[in-house]
Amino acid sequence: MRNWLGNDGNWIVAGLAAAITVPLLSFAAGMPFWIAIIIALLVFAGLVILLAPRRLFEGFDIKSIGSGRVAFARDLLEAAVPFAQRLETAADTINDRQMAAAVRHLAEIAADVFRKVEAKPESANAVRRFLSYYLPRAAEVAEGFAVIEAKRVPDPKQLEEVRGVLVKLEEAFVHYADSLVDEELGTLDTDLRLIQASLKEDIGR
């Protein structure tokens, strides 16, 4: 899943590149040490900017729908993203391949919802409960499955109970993801009715 909020990865990569640049230029290329240092700093600064993850709603025309709606959507997404990341982490720790795949699927659906909300911030309210309730609960349940599974003698009844909850959560995830699509199809249905009415009026069909 895309890193929506970003992390310090760009700083680490830039630091490693700068650290490698100094000995390469100074010893391998025979360049004066102080020049190698300057170039390394430029490399570091350039990579930090180049590799910086894109922020939420970066480049979005806020005036087109209003700053209030964008701020509302941003707050929801920023609070929700860590839970989607926790789903991915939990999936990596689950040994049961089927359950690990199911948890990853939840994270993928969450990422799809994030993309749709970022593309259309005014739709955020339609998935508010998903972002603020179902997604956090799904992360907790997935982590709980991993904890139970890690026991020397896991309780089969507990595992099956958690498995059933995750299946139900997947249904909720799909419902909310599809609700964003259904919202757009509502306009299509209206357009189709208008077109059919126009055709009937113009050509009698």
Side-chain angles (χ1 to χ4, degrees), residues 24-89:
L24 282 177
L25 295 178
S26 183
F27 299 110
M31 189 174 291
F33 184 75
W34 66 274
I35 294 180
I37 290 290
I38 292 175
I39 294 176
L41 289 174
L42 292 174
V43 169
F44 175 80
L47 286 175
V48 166
I49 296 172
L50 182 65
L51 299 177
R54 192 175 69 82
R55 305 291 294 179
L56 285 168
F57 300 103
E58 184 177 311
F60 190 86
D61 183 11
I62 295 178
K63 293 181 180 179
S64 63
I65 67 165
S67 58
R69 287 184 176 182
V70 173
F72 175 72
R74 180 186 287 113
D75 289 344
L76 278 178
L77 291 184
E78 287 181 345
V81 166
F83 293 107
Q85 293 170 338
R86 282 171 58 182
L87 278 175
E88 291 185 333
T89 301

Side-chain angles (χ1 to χ4, degrees), residues 115-184:
R115 283 190 292 269
K116 286 183 171 67
V117 171
E118 190 176 12
K120 192 177 180 183
E122 60 268 34
S123 68
N125 197 51
V127 289
R128 181 177 184 177
R129 184 162 175 77
F130 165 77
L131 294 171
S132 61
Y133 179 74
Y134 286 110
L135 180 54
R137 298 295 83 77
E140 293 171 0
V141 172
E143 291 167 346
F145 186 93
V147 170
I148 297 170
E149 189 186 50
K151 291 182 177 180
R152 290 185 179 277
V153 184
D155 185 338
K157 186 178 179 180
Q158 270 188 316
L159 287 175
E160 195 57 33
E161 183 178 359
V162 177
R163 194 189 308 272
V165 172
L166 283 172
V167 169
K168 290 296 183 181
L169 282 169
E170 182 178 17
E171 294 175 4
F173 273 47
V174 171
H175 166 75
Y176 277 100
D178 285 348
S179 70
L180 293 176
V181 178
D182 291 338
E183 192 177 82
E184 295 181 8

Side-chain angles (χ1 to χ4, degrees), residues 7-20 43-44 47-49 51-53:
N7 54 29
D8 296 328
N10 57 323
W11 291 85
I12 295 172
V13 172
L16 290 173
I20 293 171
V43 169
F44 175 80
L47 286 175
V48 166
I49 296 172
L51 299 177

